[in-house]
């Protein structure tokens, strides 16, 4: 392979979702940049791939990006993976992509798993037009963004952590209306995969009685 950066999506749960092309790229890369080397190491072991792993995550990307750029310019082929899903989608990757482009380095992003697509399709809400919001700000700017989204007519997609799910749903009910249709998908492609659909009030009542675990995608209908 010519020296370049490959962005390689990895399974969001079920390891069988890895593509044949992704396996081939990982086998042939000189170095694999990993958000968490332990998580990626488990995947590579499952695939029977032995390659050098280098840590690349949100806390060290600013310090390491120029060294990575220089290594690629000298001829090394790098493959970037995140813990799950497609790199740079609510995961590290944007900074490295931008710097590669500035330095004339070829970039190739493979198609593959990302959590919001199955969550959107599973929701039963309109899929022709949607906005991906990812993780909302925890504090500064959160209320401003929610106020802006009150008039959003497209289907809205959010990522959320288990311990903040109920708080976010309650805020959505406050800003968007308690009867707004929504769905919550968690543990997609895994053994305990679950999608709950209904009004925000109904979904809040459901999860208020549950121990909430796993990665979560919230899909909310746009303003009627």
């Amino acid at each position: 392979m010519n020296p370049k950066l490959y962005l390689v999506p990895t399974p969001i749960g079920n390891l069988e979702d890895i593509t044949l092309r992704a396996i081939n790229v990982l086998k042939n890369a000189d170095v694999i940049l990993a958000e968490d080397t332990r998580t990626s190491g488990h995947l590579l072991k499952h695939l029977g791939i032995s390659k050098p792993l280098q840590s690349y995550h949100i806390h060290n990307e600013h310090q390491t990006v120029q060294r990575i750029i220089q290594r690629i310019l000298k001829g090394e082929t790098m493959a970037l993976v995140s813990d799950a899903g497609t790199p740079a989608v609510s995961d590290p990757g944007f900074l490295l992509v931008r710097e590669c482009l500035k330095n004339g380095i070829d970039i190739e992003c493979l198609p593959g798993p990302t959590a919001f697509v199955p969550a959107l399709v599973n929701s039963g809400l309109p899929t022709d037009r949607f906005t991906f919001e990812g993780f909302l700000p925890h504090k500064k700017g959160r209320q401003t963004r929610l106020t802006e989204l009150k008039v959003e007519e497209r289907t809205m997609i959010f990522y959320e952590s288990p311990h903040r799910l109920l708080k976010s749903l309650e805020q959505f009910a406050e800003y968007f209306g308690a009867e707004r249709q929504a769905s919550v998908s968690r543990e997609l492609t895994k053994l305990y995969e679950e999608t709950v659909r209904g009004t925000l009030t109904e979904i809040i009542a459901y999860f208020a009685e549950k121990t909430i675990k796993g990665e979560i995608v919230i899909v909310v209908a746009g303003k009627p």
Side-chain angles (χ1 to χ4, degrees):
M1 294 189 295
N2 293 327
K4 64 166 63 175
L5 173 69
Y6 287 89
L7 279 70
V8 182
T10 54
I12 59 175
N14 191 325
L15 297 184
E16 293 182 4
D17 290 334
I18 192 77
T19 68
L20 294 175
R21 185 175 170 210
I23 293 172
N24 186 55
V25 169
L26 294 174
K27 282 182 177 179
N28 288 283
D30 294 309
V31 177
I32 298 172
L33 305 172
E35 184 180 5
D36 187 322
T37 55
R38 294 166 298 181
T39 302
S40 297
H42 174 70
L43 174 64
L44 294 178
K45 183 178 180 181
H46 174 78
L47 298 174
I49 297 173
S50 179
K51 285 289 177 176
L53 281 169
Q54 179 176 327
S55 178
Y56 182 82
H57 49 73
I58 192 171
H59 301 296
N60 74 355
E61 58 180 342
H62 287 276
Q63 291 75 33
T64 60
V65 66
Q66 291 304 324
R67 290 197 296 271
I68 293 170
I69 293 295
Q70 293 306 311
R71 290 177 64 177
I72 298 175
L73 288 173
K74 291 178 181 178
E76 290 189 82
T77 295
M78 302 275 189
L80 174 65
V81 298
S82 57
D83 288 349
T86 300
V89 179
S90 292
D91 278 322
F94 166 72
L95 178 63
L96 182 55
V97 168
R98 185 179 65 184
E99 292 304 309
C100 282
L101 292 174
K102 286 182 180 178
N103 286 273
I105 295 170
D106 288 338
I107 299 168
E108 194 167 333
C109 182
L110 279 61
T114 188
F116 78 79
V117 173
L120 172 63
V121 175
N122 277 335
S123 71
L125 297 172
T127 59
D128 55 333
R129 296 174 65 244
F130 59 89
T131 175
F132 175 69
E133 295 294 323
F135 289 97
L136 286 174
H138 286 179
K139 295 181 180 178
K140 186 178 180 180
R142 186 179 181 91
Q143 292 182 342
T144 300
R145 189 67 190 128
L146 287 169
T147 299
E148 293 170 347
L149 291 172
K150 286 174 67 173
V151 297
E152 176 59 66
E153 297 180 352
R154 296 169 294 179
T155 301
M156 298 173 282
I157 305 169
F158 305 89
Y159 284 169
E160 194 49 277
S161 60
H163 70 278
R164 297 185 64 88
L165 174 62
L166 282 173
K167 179 179 179 180
S168 289
L169 291 173
E170 288 166 355
Q171 287 183 320
F172 292 166
E174 176 187 350
Y175 281 85
F176 307 148
E179 298 306 304
R180 184 76 67 93
Q181 290 290 315
S183 79
V184 172
S185 295
R186 66 177 195 89
E187 295 287 79
L188 287 166
T189 79
K190 299 178 184 177
L191 180 61
Y192 297 106
E193 176 176 338
E194 177 182 41
T195 295
V196 180
R197 307 169 185 85
T199 65
L200 286 167
T201 295
E202 291 168 340
I203 296 173
I204 290 168
Y206 176 85
F207 281 106
E209 303 298 324
K210 302 285 183 178
T211 299
I212 306 168
K213 296 181 180 180
E215 301 293 325
I216 291 168
V217 186
I218 307 171
V219 184
V220 183
K223 181 181 178 182

